[in-house]
Amino acid sequence: MSESVLEIAHQMGKIFNDLDEEVAHRLVAPEFVDYEAPPGTPGGPGGYLGTARWMNSVFADANWEHLDSFAEGDKAVLRLRFTGTHVGNFLGVEATGNKVDVEHIHIYRVEDGKVVEHWACRQDLFLLAQLGAVKLELPPTGGPQHG
């Protein structure tokens, strides 16, 4: 029996959470494109596994917790909570030891039982704020409405 698109997308979490090479080579197509990877990052299972290794080296205790998901047709959407401790250079920000906790949305397109494309929307601004790289001054909420 073949795996559903949603089951395949859920298993992709093993690549980042467990650095599972078997899953990467079984589920990531050779022609896989990760639209969220930095320019020059190789595609295919090696590229995705390389990104996972890098994230795990930058954030100790890195974890992507499943919050919600659905699939339609050849695409699955996962909402995840990313947590970890900043121990390496992330986008030019040297290790701070700070804990991070942000949400991500990941979209995977599956073709013939393998993931061929990946997109993501991450709360990188909030992550950078948690690292102290940017300061956010959010407006107060719940106050009176002015019209």
Side-chain angles (χ1 to χ4, degrees):
M1 182 170 116
S2 65
E3 297 173 286
S4 75
V5 168
L6 191 55
E7 289 169 333
I8 290 168
H10 283 201
Q11 287 189 51
M12 293 293 284
K14 292 179 181 179
I15 297 169
F16 273 73
N17 280 323
D18 305 327
L19 298 176
D20 192 321
E21 292 185 35
E22 185 277 327
V23 170
H25 291 286
R26 181 170 47 88
L27 294 181
V28 179
E31 67 274 17
F32 170 81
V33 176
D34 185 355
Y35 296 103
E36 296 308 309
T41 302
Y48 201 59
L49 192 55
T51 299
R53 286 182 180 132
W54 173 71
M55 284 295 292
N56 276 271
S57 74
V58 172
F59 293 97
D61 310 317
N63 185 60
W64 290 262
E65 173 192 1
H66 175 261
L67 300 175
D68 194 12
S69 57
F70 66 92
E72 183 162 330
D74 63 352
K75 292 186 184 80
V77 177
L78 279 66
R79 185 170 63 94
L80 309 171
R81 170 168 282 120
F82 170 65
T83 56
T85 304
H86 183 221
V87 296
N89 186 305
F90 180 72
L91 304 177
V93 180
E94 292 300 328
T96 62
N98 293 358
K99 301 251 183 229
V100 297
D101 184 337
V102 294
E103 288 193 18
H104 293 183
I105 294 174
H106 293 266
I107 304 168
Y108 295 100
R109 188 172 75 79
V110 177
E111 191 175 276
D112 298 324
K114 294 199 180 247
V115 178
V116 293
E117 292 181 288
H118 167 254
W119 300 266
C121 181
R122 300 178 310 259
Q123 294 178 323
D124 286 347
L125 181 60
F126 292 133
L127 187 143
L128 290 169
Q130 290 171 26
L131 299 181
V134 297
K135 183 174 174 150
L136 297 180
E137 294 190 27
L138 301 175
T141 59
Q145 298 290 323
H146 299 285

